[in-house]
């Protein structure tokens, strides 16, 4: 499944936008029903960690914690997000992971 990552969405939901809220609640319901073991999040870097001279096609973070969101998102605090380092290392093809 995919959802847009418009930075203003959390603020819109907090201000009562029921259309945006209902769309994300539908995603939440699917996740709660299926209880996935792993979520793979694909997001745009927006040139926050990389710049044009070193912009990879994609990158896979392998740290124990990630910080997010990377952009200044109205109404959403930045905080540490736990990761599955083993799954990330296996996805990168790191031997012994």
């Amino acid at each position: 499944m995919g959802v847009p990552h418009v930075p203003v969405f959390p603020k819109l939901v907090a201000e009562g936008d029921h259309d945006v809220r209902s769309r994300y609640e539908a995603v939440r319901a699917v996740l709660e029903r299926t209880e996935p073991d792993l979520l793979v999040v694909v997001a745009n870097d927006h040139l926050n960690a990389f710049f044009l001279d070193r912009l990879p096609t994609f990158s896979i973070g392998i740290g124990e914690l990630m910080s997010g969101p990377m952009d200044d998102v109205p109404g959403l605090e930045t905080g540490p997000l736990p990761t599955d380092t083993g799954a990330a290392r296996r996805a990168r093809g790191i031997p012994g992971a």
Side-chain angles (χ1 to χ4, degrees):
M1 80 184 72
V3 296
H5 69 284
V6 179
V8 74
F9 275 6
K11 184 175 186 238
L12 292 177
V13 169
E15 293 174 352
D17 188 317
H18 297 291
D19 181 52
V20 174
R21 178 184 296 276
S22 68
R23 293 169 189 266
Y24 280 89
E25 285 176 348
V27 171
R28 178 186 298 230
V30 169
L31 293 174
E32 288 176 348
R33 186 175 67 250
T34 58
E35 299 180 5
D37 294 324
L38 179 70
L39 293 177
V40 175
V41 178
V42 178
N44 189 319
D45 176 66
H46 294 183
L47 299 178
N48 286 311
F50 300 105
F51 198 65
L52 297 176
D53 61 341
R54 291 188 174 87
L55 187 62
T57 302
F58 64 91
S59 68
I60 298 174
I62 59 172
E64 291 182 12
L65 293 174
M66 302 293 173
S67 179
M70 293 188 70
D71 293 320
D72 183 23
V73 178
L76 194 60
E77 293 182 23
T78 299
L81 305 167
T83 66
D84 183 331
T85 58
R89 288 176 181 277
R90 286 189 297 279
R92 285 188 54 175
I94 297 175

